[in-house]
Every structure is written in structure tokens, then in C-alpha cells.
Amino acid sequence: MNNIEQNLHDVRNRMTLAAQKCGRSPEEITLLAVSKTKPVDAIAKAIANGQREFGENYVQEGVEKIQHFINRDDLVWHFIGPLQSNKSRLVAENFDWCHTVDRAKIAQRLSEQRPENMSPLNILIQINISGEESKSGILLEELTELVATIDGLPNLVLRGLMAIPAPESNFERQIAIFRQMEQALIELKAQYPQVDTLSMGMTDDMEAAIACGSTLVRIGTAIFGARQYNS
């Protein structure tokens, strides 16, 4: 087990520096710890060091972890993986956020399956900002239609946009791609005042994302170390 305490400290420092560099308040940016494939004791260690928001990519694994920490009502669980229709009920019944909505059918299912006694599910629409064939997400020009659908669903609340751009090592090019997302969020916010979240930026492009208005960075490796696959 690597030093999660030190890693969290380092990541938060990186976020603070990146925010200060572009004149933003570090408080505007949430650190989402991507805990997929990580054991519950690693998550417990992160919780002990003040981390409260966790992202899971695999429905079943995520649900098991949510159940494990069911007594902690201060934790916020984000589903950040691709969502198949047959798994939508588990997400609707267990998670607080879903980052990867990219079609009306999934949104409708999530709303129908969200239990009445739970607050509405926070929704981010995934944008395929690099236009990659293999990636999920919609193109920016398809946004208006999907937004209108989600806005009309009773058990969902549209909070903003999410993107995973194609890997890009050049800072200026990272910025150019993230700027498109920033602009899209500004336009969306003008129509839907509850929109407040731009989920973008990972371990390798966090600085560029923060410079372009990201409010939530998804960090796994820099907190928990390299992925662990048991199978």
C-alpha cells in the first residue's frame, strides 16, 4: 500500500497551485478520488485523510463499496464508467452522481429507477470532445436535445458536463480542447441556472483542466498508485 496520506496531500497542493495560477479559488474545485479496482482499506485510508468523494467505473464493484461504507452518510459516490442499460437500476438505487449519461434512453431509465425516498440523481452529460470513434459521449452539437430531455425528468437534476479527452501531452493543445468544454458549460449555465459542474482533468492534464474552469478533477493513480487488477 503506497502512502495515500502523502499522495492526497500532494494532489491537493497541485490543485491549489493550479487554481492560484489562473486566479481561481481552490475551494471551487472538488477532488474526486477514483477508487476503481482499489480495496476498501485504501478507501478507508483516504476517508481518514479527509477525502469524501469517490468515483467508481464498474457498477457491481461500486455498489459493494457503497454498501461497505453505508454507515458513512458524509460520503458522495460518483459513477464515472460507461453505463449499460441493464445496469442502470443499480446506479439509480445506489449512487449520488452519474457522469456518463450520453443518451436519452439511459436518462429515462435512471429517472424511472431512482427510488422516491432518495434525492434526485445528479447528472453530468458526457461529451466526446475529441471526436474519438471508440469513446462514449455525445458531440457538442447534440447537446441541446439531450439537455432538454434530462431537464424534463423528475428524478434527475442536470448538474453539468464531463469529458475525457484523448491523451495529449502538449499543454497548449490540452487547453484548446478544454476551452471548448468551458464554453459549452457557460452556454448551458445561461439557460439552466442549476448547472454548476464541469468534470474534467485527470492525473496528467489536471492543470490545463483547472485553467479552463474544471470544478471537479478525477484522480486515481496519483492518489492510490497504479491500478490493481486481481483477475
Side-chain angles (χ1 to χ4, degrees):
M1 177 82 62
N2 50 31
N3 193 340
I4 289 171
E5 179 181 9
Q6 184 63 47
N7 292 351
L8 275 168
H9 177 77
D10 294 346
V11 168
R12 290 179 185 135
N13 270 354
R14 261 182 81 186
M15 289 169 65
T16 299
L17 285 171
Q20 287 168 344
K21 211 174 212 173
C22 57
R24 294 181 64 196
S25 159
E27 282 73 53
E28 291 172 20
I29 307 150
T30 299
L31 172 58
L32 182 61
V34 178
S35 45
K36 65 174 178 187
T37 77
K38 302 302 171 202
V40 289
D41 56 343
I43 296 175
K45 218 165 240 191
I47 294 170
N49 286 285
Q51 184 60 31
R52 295 291 176 266
E53 314 233 0
F54 294 91
E56 288 288 331
N57 285 56
Y58 309 109
V59 178
Q60 203 67 50
E61 181 195 339
V63 169
E64 284 168 19
K65 290 174 181 175
I66 292 168
Q67 295 303 324
H68 180 87
F69 292 104
I70 199 81
N71 297 330
R72 299 285 311 228
D73 57 6
D74 56 339
L75 302 182
V76 182
W77 294 93
H78 299 245
F79 184 72
I80 59 174
L83 183 53
Q84 295 149 330
S85 302
N86 62 347
K87 298 276 175 71
S88 63
R89 179 176 296 280
L90 284 171
V91 170
E93 290 178 349
N94 291 279
F95 284 85
D96 303 297
W97 287 73
C98 182
H99 285 223
T100 49
V101 174
D102 62 358
R103 50 200 193 282
K105 180 187 163 190
I106 282 281
Q108 281 150 353
R109 287 178 71 100
L110 288 170
S111 182
E112 283 161 17
Q113 294 165 342
R114 184 72 168 171
E116 289 299 323
N117 63 341
M118 293 178 83
S119 54
L121 183 63
N122 295 295
I123 297 294
L124 298 180
I125 294 175
Q126 183 172 357
I127 305 294
N128 184 350
I129 196 66
S130 304
E132 294 172 277
E133 292 289 320
S134 60
K135 283 269 172 80
S136 33
I138 60 168
L139 299 174
L140 278 174
E141 45 269 32
E142 302 169 302
L143 185 57
T144 312
E145 199 178 332
L146 186 53
V147 165
T149 301
I150 291 171
D151 194 55
L153 293 169
N155 299 317
L156 306 181
V157 55
L158 178 66
R159 295 292 295 273
L161 305 174
M162 183 275 255
I164 308 170
E168 174 55 75
S169 54
N170 178 290
F171 185 75
E172 294 308 319
R173 286 202 290 266
Q174 288 176 356
I175 292 273
I177 290 168
F178 284 139
R179 283 271 176 244
Q180 298 172 49
M181 290 295 299
E182 182 177 35
Q183 193 50 45
L185 191 87
I186 291 167
E187 289 166 18
L188 191 58
K189 226 177 189 164
Q191 270 187 290
Y192 300 92
Q194 82 278 16
V195 163
D196 58 4
T197 303
L198 187 51
S199 166
M200 62 187 195
M202 290 151 78
T203 299
D204 295 332
D205 56 10
M206 167 168 62
E207 282 78 8
I210 288 172
C212 296
S214 171
T215 64
L216 191 148
V217 293
R218 307 182 304 273
I219 309 293
T221 311
I223 296 173
F224 296 109
R227 295 180 184 189
Q228 294 164 336
Y229 290 107
N230 298 330
S231 49

